[in-house]
Amino acid sequence: MHIDDEPLRPGEVRAFVKYKSTPARPAPQRYFVGWDIGQSQDYSAVAVLKKTDAGNYVVNHLERLSLGMSYPSQIDHIYSLANRKPLAGADTTVCLDKTGVGAPVYDATRKKGINAVGLTLHGGDAVTWDEDRMAVKAPKKDVIGCLVVLAQCGSIKIAKGLPYGDILLKELRDYQIKFNPNTANVSFGNGREAEHDDLVLAVAIPLWIAENRYPRPNPICRLISVGGRHRW
């Protein structure tokens, strides 16, 4: 016999609470904003990547900022983008190119209240994170290579009809793997000096940060050269 089937004793009061199961609150959408900061004569580019529940990525926003746009105006633009739907209220990480002129822009961006992660590109092999993992120095070949590998695996897609989507694909096709047999160094370079790579970097930087800021036990996207042949 269950206790609630037993008769009440004199003076006894019973209270029963029935707990209703509530559905789990859905996890917030994850977005990564990439910002390649150009020199005064170069384009700055912005990309927004959405990470799906399956762990893949969709590029659903691409833009080139106007040539000559001041850095304070660019910061205001990023602030506005990050604070409107669907990024506002989501799990959004702003990732910017901290190389060269990007260093003071990174500082000004954080003073604006944008909790950005800065990535400094270099030509070596080491990856060095700051203690709080809000800034990192990484090889450019790894950053570009991450985009190349995930694109070839079908793990990153460009939203259909996205402005600048065709230009992004062209920039990516123009990248070439260069191998120096004397030093065994591997690098990525653009086939022609006149070409831009701002859109590629605007996508590659947040993608690399998303994959490597809190790495998996077996990190991916390191390019290895074996006997002059390249393996991932």
Side-chain angles (χ1 to χ4, degrees):
M1 178 182 292
H2 297 289
I3 189 170
D4 53 343
D5 294 329
E6 296 178 356
L8 287 173
R9 300 185 182 91
E12 181 182 3
V13 177
R14 294 180 188 171
F16 298 95
V17 179
K18 184 177 182 180
Y19 292 94
K20 296 177 65 177
S21 60
T22 56
R25 182 177 297 178
Q29 296 286 345
R30 296 196 68 191
Y31 291 93
F32 295 86
V33 179
W35 178 17
D36 177 52
I37 302 169
Q39 304 277 354
S40 58
Q41 71 275 16
D42 297 324
Y43 287 110
S44 291
V46 179
V48 176
L49 281 62
K50 178 181 178 181
K51 189 168 186 178
T52 69
D53 293 339
N56 298 322
Y57 299 88
V58 179
V59 182
N60 55 19
H61 178 86
L62 272 177
E63 63 176 315
R64 273 179 170 163
L65 305 184
S66 301
L67 281 174
M69 178 184 283
S70 69
Y71 295 127
S73 295
Q74 292 188 38
I75 293 171
D76 289 342
H77 181 77
I78 296 297
Y79 183 87
S80 175
L81 178 66
N83 283 279
R84 65 174 184 258
K85 295 291 185 180
L87 305 187
D91 182 358
T92 301
T93 304
V94 174
C95 312
L96 61 84
D97 181 2
K98 197 182 171 187
T99 313
V101 296
V105 176
Y106 170 77
D107 294 337
T109 299
R110 289 178 62 83
K111 288 180 181 178
K112 177 77 173 180
I114 303 172
N115 204 25
V117 180
L119 188 152
T120 303
L121 298 167
H122 63 76
D125 295 305
V127 174
T128 308
W129 284 93
D130 284 3
E131 186 175 353
D132 60 1
R133 301 190 84 80
M134 296 302 295
V136 60
K137 298 180 178 68
K140 186 174 182 178
K141 65 177 183 288
D142 284 7
V143 175
I144 300 296
C146 182
L147 172 56
V148 171
V149 171
L150 293 185
Q152 291 179 353
C153 294
S155 297
I156 181 167
K157 303 289 186 183
I158 301 173
K160 188 176 180 180
L162 189 68
Y164 294 104
D166 291 342
I167 299 176
L168 170 62
L169 291 175
K170 182 179 183 303
E171 285 187 6
L172 194 54
R173 284 194 296 266
D174 284 344
Y175 261 92
Q176 300 173 356
I177 298 177
K178 300 177 181 179
F179 175 71
N180 186 330
N182 297 321
T183 62
N185 285 334
V186 178
S187 63
F188 283 88
N190 198 287
R192 287 170 289 179
E193 292 297 329
E195 295 289 345
H196 298 287
D197 63 356
D198 52 301
L199 294 171
V200 164
L201 288 172
V203 173
I205 287 170
L207 186 63
W208 187 90
I209 288 173
E211 288 290 304
N212 292 277
R213 189 180 182 196
Y214 300 108
R216 303 166 187 173
N218 296 314
I220 64 169
C221 299
R222 293 286 298 186
L223 183 63
I224 302 172
S225 176
V226 180
R229 300 179 64 185
H230 312 307
R231 299 179 60 188
W232 292 97

